[in-house]
Amino acid sequence: MDLNQLLWIVPVVLAVVAVLQILYLLGLSFAPGGRRKPVKQPTTPIMPTTPQGGLNTAPSYSAAPTLTAGKMVLLSGLSTMTEIPLPNNNFGIGRFYHPENNILVALDEKSISRRHATFTGDDNLREYHLTDTSSSYGTSIRKDNQFQLLTPGKRERVYNEDVVQFGNVVTVRFVLPGDTRAAATRL
């Protein structure tokens, strides 16, 4: 075989492969269940702040006292939301809503871990705590105009109007009953 004979074989083989691929795609579209509508992805994170659809049956959820006036005001990191009401006095914060693991506040951002932090509070004492649960990118609280990284596993007291950063970019201001950090630490 000379070179001229080989040169015409290459385009023929490529044409046959292209025809086979077209036939395969046509076969997929006519097969049962073949042509499906594309799934529309939500533009905002799916994040109910209270369990819905019968998920509120576990005693740990229904017995938890409701925090009457608490919320997190989003300052940066999630442009689709402005504030999140706190669901109760004992819940987890993570990347995805997962009531079975008590993750009741979801912050859908890449630097947020699935189980990022936990929030606990006592309305009677007006004391609230945040604990980083060994998250990948950490949790920081602003004190004296600079962020200080929380030690994983150690409870840190959170005051009204404290600014907290979860991960790299999600920054919130806690609005809680009680004193601000400046008023509580004033002598």
Side-chain angles (χ1 to χ4, degrees), residues 50-61 90-92 96-105 114-115:
T50 57
Q52 297 176 7
L55 296 174
N56 200 11
T57 57
S60 61
Y61 298 103
N90 184 11
F91 62 90
F96 304 108
Y97 178 73
H98 197 281
E100 292 84 13
N101 288 333
N102 200 25
I103 306 297
L104 302 180
V105 172
R114 290 178 190 233
R115 294 181 187 162

Side-chain angles (χ1 to χ4, degrees), residues 94-133:
R95 187 167 181 186
F96 304 108
Y97 178 73
H98 197 281
E100 292 84 13
N101 288 333
N102 200 25
I103 306 297
L104 302 180
V105 172
L107 305 172
D108 191 8
E109 198 279 321
K110 288 188 278 188
S111 65
I112 304 295
S113 298
R114 290 178 190 233
R115 294 181 187 162
H116 196 92
T118 57
F119 177 92
T120 56
D122 186 335
D123 280 337
N124 296 330
L125 296 175
R126 291 185 172 204
E127 285 190 12
Y128 307 95
H129 295 90
L130 196 60
T131 306
D132 182 84
T133 53

Side-chain angles (χ1 to χ4, degrees), residues 126 157-160 162 178-187:
R126 291 185 172 204
R157 184 144 181 213
V158 180
Y159 294 91
N160 183 29
D162 269 355
D179 293 331
T180 63
R181 181 175 298 275
T185 58
R186 192 177 326 146
L187 294 176

